Amino acid sequence: MHSFKELSAKFEQQFNHRQFPAQPANLYDASQYILGIGGKRIRPVLAMMGNELFDTLHDDSLLVGTAIELFHNFTLIHDDIMDKAPLRRGMPTVHTKYNDATAIMAGDVMLIRCYDFLNKVQPHIKTKIINVFNKAASEVCEGQQYDMDMEVMKPEDVQYNDYVNMIGLKTSVLLAAALQMGAIIGGGSEGNQQHLYNFGKNVGIAFQMQDDYLDAFGDPDKHGKQAGGDILINKKTFLLLKALDTCNPGQKEELHHLMDTNPADKVAQVLRIFKECKIDVWSEEEKESYKQKAIKSLEEIAVVSARKKPLLELADFLLTRQH
Amino acid sequence: MHSFKELSAKFEQQFNHRQFPAQPANLYDASQYILGIGGKRIRPVLAMMGNELFDTLHDDSLLVGTAIELFHNFTLIHDDIMDKAPLRRGMPTVHTKYNDATAIMAGDVMLIRCYDFLNKVQPHIKTKIINVFNKAASEVCEGQQYDMDMEVMKPEDVQYNDYVNMIGLKTSVLLAAALQMGAIIGGGSEGNQQHLYNFGKNVGIAFQMQDDYLDAFGDPDKHGKQAGGDILINKKTFLLLKALDTCNPGQKEELHHLMDTNPADKVAQVLRIFKECKIDVWSEEEKESYKQKAIKSLEEIAVVSARKKPLLELADFLLTRQH
């Protein structure tokens, strides 16, 4: 068994070279470009950890990890086009550096490439691996569509549960599927695969909740983003939706007024209302509740506790950051 | 063995229903929409014919045919975004009816869906099938990129051979791969698979040459398009590139002048020069030469001639149309 750092280094060693042919350069340079601007490679490590939970590390985990990392980057390229985002990790996005047409296709060939790697896993698990991958892949697209659907809705028309569902699809199912594919490679039973999947899904949702919390209440000096960036652009977050759900009519009216008029002290005013409604406390509790669900799923997996340590440590690491 | 018509009906019977879940409707309705606006389903029929060349029809051909038809439609959705095309088969394109973001994702989920079907073929041929599919899929994207690269080049800077290569990738390799995958399902040897692939690739190139010829010299009343539509927009075609390659300096200069100035009688003038340079005769000969290459590949396949009849008839049908 290996630590996150060891697995991450192992993955980088085989991933960190050009993944695409030389020609046509205008296409494949664009695909390769996004792989070179960083990323924590957390999804491949999850696949490897899922494998090591049940058995020694198999090369299939690197293949599956590569496919997932390529898929993740494919979604970043296409999402950035849809969101018209100029920057990603401080660098120009693919469609900004090249153009929309090239970015669409740079994503397409990256998605196709995923299946080159999935096609190399051992035959007796290939069908199952591709099924799990494809279910997650479709769900990520569905999550992105629900997100776009919600973007044009008024915040008070978005149901909190629909929002949790969207976040789960958009950000968590790929983490969960990475773990499950690792479990398949390691020979975990169907039941244990499902527990591990649930662990990943709930960690993912808790992580997103923490992200929303830190954007509002975190220390901007630590997370390096604009304080209350989400509040400034009226972004639908766990906090805002819960506030609109639970605050009293006067507070709700005040929130709407702040979102409509964008006064200079908007962030401070919204944070004050959030605190009056105890959204900060609720948010911490809600995150903790998803974390506990995750840990419970992990506990239910029928392997000795020692094997679960890297996953537990990773969950702790991801869900206690202050920035 | 079955005729094109019979195979096409057989394919439609299982393909002609909703291929996607109901929700999110904004995503999957867009994917389904393009499948409903027609298409000759020629690629699935090629897969089925490739199968029947060697053995009785297997359900895997329908699975592979579905994957190829979905892939083909995925390329149409994304190409139409890149080309900013308003219409497809007389109907609004997906990005026109919905929007760019939805069209990007409607294509993405369609591409993912291809592999659901490929993942259902018999295990002993699955790896090979996905390899052939993925090689063609990547090449189609490469062809589209070369096409975009050539679009911003001056016609005289485009090498004729590079253009043939681009057309081969963009339009022929998927036809060729459809046949090859059928041959794999039918149990054809590697050598016979290759011959069948070459047959498909050369038929595809000959077909595109005919398309260019008809646009210039065909009867507009028959093919229903604007006479000389390619000439009007200075489109790089086999005819124009060959003319710029072989006409004398005076004719070349005249061609450039016509392309730069767009006079009212541009089509007639360009056609006159084409005829003076015997581009019409050359074009027919060149198409015939690719057709003969295709037929030679078909002849080399080690099965009795009677089994080749549907493919020979299809090539004849595709390559003798006047519109």
Side-chain angles (χ1 to χ4, degrees), chain A residues 117-131:
Chain A
F117 289 96
L118 297 176
N119 198 27
K120 285 182 188 149
V121 306
Q122 305 161 86
H124 74 283
I125 56 169
K126 188 180 292 180
T127 304
K128 175 81 180 168
I129 290 278
I130 295 179
N131 276 341

Side-chain angles (χ1 to χ4, degrees), chain B residues 48-173:
Chain B
M48 294 159 90
M49 283 188 173
N51 176 169
E52 285 205 320
L53 183 59
F54 299 100
D55 202 351
T56 52
L57 195 63
H58 190 284
D59 281 349
D60 278 0
S61 291
L62 291 168
L63 293 170
V64 163
T66 302
I68 302 170
E69 188 62 20
L70 291 175
F71 180 84
H72 173 58
N73 279 277
F74 143 76
T75 64
L76 298 182
I77 298 175
H78 280 194
D79 284 6
D80 284 342
I81 304 171
M82 296 179 218
D83 299 343
K84 303 190 195 303
L87 294 175
R88 158 85 49 197
R89 295 173 194 143
M91 300 283 283
T93 45
V94 176
H95 67 100
T96 311
K97 189 174 163 74
Y98 299 87
N99 56 59
D100 280 13
T102 293
I104 289 173
M105 260 196 317
D108 292 345
V109 291
M110 200 174 291
L111 176 53
I112 292 166
R113 197 97 180 88
C114 295
Y115 296 93
D116 283 336
F117 290 95
L118 296 176
N119 199 27
K120 286 182 187 149
V121 305
Q122 304 161 87
H124 75 283
I125 55 169
K126 188 179 292 180
T127 304
K128 176 81 181 166
I129 289 280
I130 294 179
N131 277 340
V132 171
F133 183 91
N134 260 25
K135 177 169 172 284
S138 303
E139 286 176 344
V140 169
C141 295
E142 293 169 11
Q144 171 73 1
Q145 182 66 48
Y146 284 127
D147 195 13
M148 294 198 305
D149 290 349
M150 287 177 186
E151 222 158 78
V152 294
M153 289 166 74
K154 290 187 204 150
E156 62 270 31
D157 293 337
V158 174
Q159 300 296 314
Y160 180 76
N161 286 340
D162 291 343
Y163 182 78
V164 176
N165 179 50
M166 180 278 285
I167 288 292
L169 294 173
K170 196 176 162 175
T171 69
S172 302
V173 295

